[in-house]
Amino acid sequence: MPLLNKVRTAAPGGPGENTAVPSLSRLRTALTVFFALDGFLFAGWVVRIPAIKQQTGASAGELGLALLGVSAGAVVTMVLTGRLCRRFGSHPVTVVCGALMALAIALPPQTHSALALGLVLLAFGAAYGGINVAMNSAAVDLVAALRRPVMPSFHAAFSLGGMVGAGVGALVASTFSPTAHLLALTGVGLVVTALAGRVLLRHPAPVHASTPHTQGRRLDGRARRLVLLFGVIALCTAYGEGAMADWGALHLEQDLSAAPGVAAVGYSLFALAMTAGRLSGTALLERLGQTRTLVAGGLTASAGMLLGALAPTVWLALAGFAVMGLGLANIFPVAVARAGALAGPGGVAAASTLGYGGMLLGPPAIGLLAEWSSLPVALTTVAVLAAGAALIGYTARHATASQT
């Protein structure tokens, strides 16, 4: 089975120049900062949702509808951002979306009704969706230029940023109001965007000529189907992330009689394992290649979720959640990277949109299935989809190899 990490590239820097490697190193650092900033800002907003719910006086149903603003804004913008990246370049779009996200995060605490909250969350979601497509598109080009599968390291930075953002939010929640906290995040976001953005604006994205989109050719039907396949892989795994975030703690507390504190540890273990898996993702991809990493990750996640959902004790369930995090860690980054390598920013946009849709689909689907049967049974659908992602990755092994 061929390793799918080797991508022919044309790194920046012409004959006689020796600036390519330092430039790529600076680009990698700057992009890593943007991924971390994205996770940091989003987590900062999430931990203040209860306080903003109380401020707006929204019911649970009204808050749910308002939160759909984030989803709607993100999905619409993800579709459009691929075109913007092709026209203006992924680096400028990343910087603009980073600044917009930093500004938009200050808006929710200024609202006093569920309707107003939903409207400002449209803007926040639009910036969030835009920066995710733009920076992933930039990362795909950089991965090709570096000739190393470093995509998981960027997503590890996102996870670490989210953990720091949630931790800071928990520390300041009792001291600072949502307005003061999120305004401070706006300041941090703008400063970081200005500093890291200078590097992106100074250095254009590396150009590699091994894929149709970089040569101005339209993708054929086979390439489009492959992009769709990798988007479905992203959907299958993001479904599990959304399900764990919303239902993992409830399963531990409701079905296994865990104390609230122990139940809260479930998602923390999952997130920590996912971060650790992404930090080791580059080494794993270099050793196994993309296909084997997808298959092994999907099967590992499936086994972990089956253990987490059906285990008779809390500690076995916690172990299952950790195994699931390790399994899922690198599947989404690889799927997005592969779609981007095939179709550029449009491929990143398609895979990201499908993946984000899976994250949105997971929680309500689990809830409906839990009402029809039980929560443990509903959670086994996560295992089924993770195994499905492994099967799709294995089925596409020859097709993807012929594209590199």
Side-chain angles (χ1 to χ4, degrees), residues 51 109 165-166 175 236 242 295 318 330 342:
T175 307
C236 289
V295 173
L318 289 173
N330 296 303
L342 285 165

Side-chain angles (χ1 to χ4, degrees), residues 124-352:
F124 178 73
Y128 177 72
I131 192 173
N132 273 275
V133 170
M135 66 186 183
N136 273 290
S137 298
V140 166
D141 290 332
L142 183 57
V143 166
L146 289 170
R147 304 187 184 189
R148 290 192 66 210
V150 298
M151 193 67 155
S153 68
F154 295 119
H155 288 259
F158 173 85
S159 298
L160 287 171
M163 293 172 67
V164 172
V168 170
L171 288 174
V172 305
S174 60
T175 307
F176 294 96
S177 67
T179 300
H181 177 202
L182 297 186
L183 276 174
L185 293 188
T186 293
V188 171
L190 290 175
V191 170
V192 172
T193 297
L195 294 176
R198 290 176 60 188
V199 178
L200 294 191
L201 296 177
R202 188 180 300 126
H203 301 285
V207 176
H208 52 100
S210 61
T211 55
H213 79 276
T214 58
Q215 302 171 7
R217 303 201 311 265
R218 291 179 61 87
L219 295 173
D220 58 23
R222 179 167 172 269
R224 283 194 290 268
R225 287 192 295 273
L226 287 173
V227 169
L228 179 62
L229 280 179
F230 286 106
V232 172
I233 290 174
L235 182 152
C236 289
T237 54
Y239 176 98
E241 291 187 54
M244 275 299 304
D246 285 22
W247 294 102
L250 182 62
H251 166 58
L252 293 172
E253 189 171 347
Q254 170 186 290
D255 300 311
L256 298 176
S257 303
V262 175
V265 169
Y267 183 74
S268 299
L269 274 177
F270 169 79
L272 185 61
M274 178 170 282
T275 302
R278 287 175 170 174
L279 287 172
S280 60
T282 296
L284 188 67
L285 284 165
E286 287 179 330
R287 177 175 291 272
L288 298 181
Q290 292 181 347
T291 296
R292 288 173 178 158
T293 299
L294 286 176
V295 173
L299 294 178
T300 300
S302 180
M305 191 67 250
L306 284 176
L307 179 61
L310 303 177
T313 67
V314 172
W315 304 111
L316 279 175
L318 289 173
F321 288 170
V323 171
M324 180 189 171
L326 286 172
L328 288 186
N330 296 303
I331 300 179
F332 190 94
V334 169
V336 171
R338 198 67 199 126
L342 285 165
V348 173
S352 298

Side-chain angles (χ1 to χ4, degrees), residues 239 247 250-251 254-255 362-381:
Y239 176 98
W247 294 102
L250 182 62
H251 166 58
Q254 170 186 290
D255 300 311
I366 296 293
L368 290 174
L369 289 170
E371 285 192 8
W372 175 72
S373 179
S374 68
L375 183 53
V377 171
L379 287 173
T380 61
T381 60

Side-chain angles (χ1 to χ4, degrees), residues 23-118:
S23 294
L24 294 179
S25 178
R26 286 193 291 269
L27 283 178
R28 183 178 179 183
T29 300
L31 276 176
T32 299
V33 169
F34 270 105
F35 273 86
L37 178 66
D38 184 32
F40 179 77
L41 292 179
F42 191 80
W45 142 249
V46 167
V47 298
R48 301 317 296 249
I49 288 176
I52 292 174
K53 175 182 181 295
Q54 184 177 6
Q55 175 182 301
T56 59
S59 65
E62 290 171 336
L63 178 64
L65 290 174
L67 291 175
L68 282 177
V70 178
S71 309
V75 168
V76 170
T77 311
M78 282 178 171
V79 174
L80 298 176
T81 304
R83 299 177 184 176
L84 292 175
C85 289
R86 284 194 296 271
R87 181 169 182 179
F88 299 107
S90 57
H91 289 185
V93 177
T94 297
V95 175
V96 170
C97 289
L100 291 176
M101 186 175 176
L103 292 170
I105 202 172
L107 297 178
Q110 311 305 320
T111 61
H112 298 281
S113 70
L115 176 60
L117 179 61

